């Protein structure tokens, strides 16, 4: 289970001079099914959730009273093979995780699921989201575990993630069942968290009171499934039952399904899930995201019309909105860019010649389609602007007469602290520039973003039921000072006392210094 040669294997900036953001959250999957091959179901479930995290993958299974965990750096298909899955066979209970790091470095020790021995057996846990009170929880753990044997990061080989912290906290209630320990820990967590965890007999799922990240429940003929998205239910043949409610803890074992509430629900689902993060074939709050994104494109056409000959998407993220834009505007829809689906990770170091290829490794223009045409180019978001700048240049070189850029989300002006890896606020192009200045910066003939109200309307959810923080700076979960946030907070071992007021929030959101605490939530 060592690390894959070549570091984290991510396509580096020299080969991919794009925004590299927003990077996804994580994917979680859990299955209780005594008559099924649960390890293989977890594998296929993670495969369906691969878009949510490409750094590492792992599966934990329970066989009798023994827990086995296999995890490594890389894609799901790189980590697991037939022989590995066979070694995990014979289990009735499994959880899986694919990771994009938002707390803790991208190293093997931080791959998930995490595991802790407890007085009643073993505890494995996977987490999608990001906690905002990590240091407060670490202090609580230190109080409960006086010899520091459970404190994440206390040993060099230890994990340094908020996930490891949650797992360690649950292990400090030796006289309690896993369910009762969870009911002690879950109310103390702040931020975004969708958890799947298990002991020797029971599968558990829990979702934060705001329900920021998605988590759904599905039914198999002989068991139950929980997953980050409904698409993962589809691939394993599970029928969608419902979403896990905000503030709910679900327990599943041989006695059936039980549910408890650990907090008062205050729904604030992530609006960016609708724009980009989740798969287009996923359902959120009863809406198929492909249909939502097509409707956003229609709205975008009404808000920012253009005189053009062809509407083309930036594949695949801009495709549904481009379809909607073409339908509403009457401008023909076309495929002007071809995407290389196999570019995204590499273990090959680039030469100087390859560095100059940049975005062309991922996208190539169809010159016969776009030459001499006035184009509307639809994409899902602009973060730093590097992608759009390179894309506009490439389209002009291919003969486009005009390039009108349309974006199916409002300007991203604020970082995320709830599980999406945006740039720091200082790096976000929309922070310091007007739309007209951004248009000139990327070299487009015109630029239009869909309005926040237009995007919200397409989701069929009330504005007060959505987290819109990356667009309007309104954070639904209270934030501490900047020095108490950040991807490497547990590695840094920060212990400074913070305050949470208006001035403190502004410091947390806008302040960037040598530590760049906001660069990764």
């Amino acid at each position: 289970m060592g690390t894959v040669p070549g570091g984290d294997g991510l396509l580096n900036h020299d080969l991919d001079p794009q925004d590299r953001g927003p990077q996804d959250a994580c994917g979680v999957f859990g299955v209780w099914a005594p008559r099924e091959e649960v390890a293989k179901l977890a594998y296929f479930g993670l495969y369906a959730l691969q878009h949510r995290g490409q750094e590492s993958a792992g599966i934990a299974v329970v066989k009798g009273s023994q827990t086995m965990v296999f995890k490594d750096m890389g894609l799901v298909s790189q980590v697991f093979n037939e022989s590995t899955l066979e070694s995990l066979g014979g289990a009735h209970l499994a959880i899986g995780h694919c990771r994009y790091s938002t707390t803790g470095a991208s190293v093997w020790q931080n791959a998930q699921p995490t595991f802790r021995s407890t007085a009643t057996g073993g505890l494995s846990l996977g987490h999608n989201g990001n906690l905002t009170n990590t240091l407060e929880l670490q202090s609580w753990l230190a109080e409960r575990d006086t010899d520091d044997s459970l404190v994440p990061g206390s040993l060099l080989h230890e994990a340094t993630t908020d996930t490891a912290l949650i797992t360690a906290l649950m292990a400090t209630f030796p006289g309690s069942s896993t369910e009762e320990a969870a009911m002690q820990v879950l109310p103390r967590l702040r931020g975004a968290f969708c958890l799947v965890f298990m002991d020797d007999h029971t599968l558990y799922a829990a979702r934060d009171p705001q329900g920021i990240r998605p988590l759904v429940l599905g039914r198999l003929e002989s068991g139950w499934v929980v997953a980050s998205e409904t698409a993962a239910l589809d691939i394993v043949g599970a029928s969608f039952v419902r979403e896990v409610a905000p503030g709910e803890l679900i327990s599943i074992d041989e006695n059936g399904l039980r549910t408890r509430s650990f907090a008062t629900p205050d729904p604030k689902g992530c609006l960016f899930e609708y724009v980009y993060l989740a798969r287009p074939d996923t359902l959120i709050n009863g809406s198929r995201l492909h249909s939502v994104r097509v409707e956003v494109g229609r709205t975008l056409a009404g808000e920012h019309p253009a005189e053009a000959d062809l509407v083309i998407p930036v594949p695949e993220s801009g495709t549904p909105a481009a379809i909607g834009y073409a339908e509403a505007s009457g401008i023909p829809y076309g495929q002007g860019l071809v995407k290389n689906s196999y570019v995204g990770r590499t273990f090959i170091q680039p030469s100087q010649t390859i560095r100059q290829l940049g975005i062309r490794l991922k996208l190539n223009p169809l010159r016969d389609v776009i030459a001499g045409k006035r184009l509307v180019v639809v994409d899902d978001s602009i973060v730093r602007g590097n992608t759009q700048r390179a894309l506009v240049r490439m389209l002009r070189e291919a003969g486009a007469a005009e390039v009108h850029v349309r974006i199916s989300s409002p300007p991203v002006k604020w970082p995320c602290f709830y599980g999406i890896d945006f740039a720091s606020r200082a790096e976000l192009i929309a922070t310091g520039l007007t739309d007209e200045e951004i248009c000139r910066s990327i070299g487009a003939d015109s630029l239009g973003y869909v309005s926040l109200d237009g995007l919200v309307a397409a989701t069929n959810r009330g504005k007060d039921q959505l987290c819109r923080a990356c667009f309007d700076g309104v954070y639904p979960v209270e934030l501490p000072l900047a020095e108490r946030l950040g991807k490497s907070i547990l590695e840094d071992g920060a212990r400074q006392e913070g305050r949470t007021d208006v001035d403190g929030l502004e410091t947390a959101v806008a302040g960037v210094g040598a530590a760049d605490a906001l660069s990764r939530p």
Side-chain angles (χ1 to χ4, degrees), residues 85-106:
L85 293 174
E86 287 295 332
S87 72
L88 299 174
H92 69 285
L93 182 55
I95 64 171
H97 187 274
C98 52
R99 182 177 190 243
Y100 183 83
S101 56
T102 53
T103 295
S106 178

Side-chain angles (χ1 to χ4, degrees), residues 24 257 277 510:
D24 297 345
L257 183 146
L277 292 182

Side-chain angles (χ1 to χ4, degrees), residues 244-326:
V244 177
E248 181 182 24
L249 170 65
I250 289 176
S251 306
I252 300 168
D253 58 21
E254 60 185 4
N255 297 315
L257 183 146
R258 304 181 302 279
T259 180
R260 301 176 67 173
S261 176
F262 63 86
T264 302
D266 181 23
K268 293 289 187 294
C270 172
L271 184 53
F272 215 85
E273 293 277 357
Y274 290 86
V275 173
Y276 170 83
L277 292 182
R279 284 172 50 146
D281 52 341
T282 278
L283 279 169
I284 295 182
N285 197 44
S287 296
R288 188 77 60 185
L289 294 196
H290 175 82
S291 299
V292 171
R293 291 167 186 173
V294 170
E295 182 59 30
V296 172
R298 295 191 187 106
T299 302
L300 186 56
E303 293 180 345
H304 297 283
E307 293 187 8
D309 305 306
L310 192 66
V311 176
I312 67 170
V314 175
E316 274 89 17
S317 57
T319 299
I323 291 171
Y325 193 102

Side-chain angles (χ1 to χ4, degrees), residues 65-127:
S65 59
Q66 181 183 29
T67 299
M68 298 177 64
V69 181
F70 190 95
K71 56 188 178 181
D72 210 339
M73 306 301 291
L75 302 175
V76 175
S77 60
Q78 294 170 325
V79 173
F80 298 98
N81 55 36
E82 190 70 33
S83 63
T84 304
L85 293 174
E86 287 295 332
S87 72
L88 299 174
H92 69 285
L93 182 55
I95 64 171
H97 187 274
C98 52
R99 182 177 190 243
Y100 183 83
S101 56
T102 53
T103 295
S106 178
V107 294
W108 181 86
Q109 289 89 336
N110 287 336
Q112 297 182 35
T114 56
F115 176 80
R116 287 284 182 183
S117 295
T118 67
T120 56
L123 173 66
S124 303
L125 185 145
H127 173 208

Side-chain angles (χ1 to χ4, degrees), residues 365-420:
L366 291 169
R367 295 173 183 268
D368 295 345
V369 173
I370 66 178
K373 300 283 180 51
R374 298 171 297 172
L375 303 177
V376 173
V377 182
V378 182
D379 204 355
D380 61 88
S381 61
I382 299 179
V383 179
R384 293 182 179 89
N386 297 333
T387 297
Q388 288 73 22
R389 191 174 297 112
L391 182 61
V392 170
R393 184 186 309 116
M394 184 171 63
L395 291 171
R396 292 197 190 281
E397 290 172 355
E402 296 177 8
V403 181
H404 302 275
V405 175
R406 297 294 181 265
I407 304 298
S408 60
S409 66
V412 176
K413 295 184 177 181
W414 304 87
C416 175
F417 299 97
Y418 307 132
I420 306 175

Side-chain angles (χ1 to χ4, degrees), residues 142-385:
E143 293 171 7
R144 297 192 56 79
D145 182 53
T146 54
D147 63 358
D148 284 346
S149 62
L150 293 177
V151 176
S154 59
L155 301 174
L156 290 178
H157 66 273
E158 287 279 350
T160 53
T161 64
D162 48 2
T163 310
L165 190 57
I166 298 169
T167 313
L169 280 166
M170 288 191 186
T172 63
F173 295 87
S176 302
S177 66
T178 302
E179 184 173 333
E180 292 304 323
M183 290 298 292
Q184 294 291 322
V185 173
L186 294 174
R188 298 283 292 265
L189 308 182
R190 298 290 180 269
F193 56 92
C194 286
L195 306 178
V196 294
F197 53 106
M198 65 182 186
D199 56 24
D200 293 351
H201 309 286
T202 307
L203 172 67
Y204 303 91
R207 193 178 182 197
D208 63 82
Q210 288 71 36
I212 293 174
R213 301 273 149 249
L215 190 64
V216 296
L217 174 69
R219 192 75 164 98
L220 293 166
E221 283 188 17
S222 60
W224 298 87
V225 174
V226 289
S228 292
E229 297 185 29
T230 61
L233 303 183
D234 297 337
I235 200 172
V236 300
S239 58
F240 171 67
V241 177
R242 63 176 176 87
E243 295 188 7
V244 177
E248 181 182 24
L249 170 65
I250 289 176
S251 306
I252 300 168
D253 58 21
E254 60 185 4
N255 297 315
L257 183 146
R258 304 181 302 279
T259 180
R260 301 176 67 173
S261 176
F262 63 86
T264 302
D266 181 23
K268 293 289 187 294
C270 172
L271 184 53
F272 215 85
E273 293 277 357
Y274 290 86
V275 173
Y276 170 83
L277 292 182
R279 284 172 50 146
D281 52 341
T282 278
L283 279 169
I284 295 182
N285 197 44
S287 296
R288 188 77 60 185
L289 294 196
H290 175 82
S291 299
V292 171
R293 291 167 186 173
V294 170
E295 182 59 30
V296 172
R298 295 191 187 106
T299 302
L300 186 56
E303 293 180 345
H304 297 283
E307 293 187 8
D309 305 306
L310 192 66
V311 176
I312 67 170
V314 175
E316 274 89 17
S317 57
T319 299
I323 291 171
Y325 193 102
E327 288 179 354
S329 67
I331 303 170
Y333 172 88
Q335 200 70 34
L337 294 163
V338 175
K339 181 179 180 179
N340 181 353
S341 300
Y342 297 95
V343 173
R345 297 178 66 90
T346 183
F347 298 103
I348 307 301
Q349 294 299 313
S351 66
Q352 181 59 37
T353 301
I354 298 298
R355 287 190 184 99
Q356 296 171 359
L357 295 179
I359 196 174
R360 297 177 191 275
L361 281 173
K362 284 194 172 183
L363 298 171
N364 199 35
L366 291 169
R367 295 173 183 268
D368 295 345
V369 173
I370 66 178
K373 300 283 180 51
R374 298 171 297 172
L375 303 177
V376 173
V377 182
V378 182
D379 204 355
D380 61 88
S381 61
I382 299 179
V383 179
R384 293 182 179 89

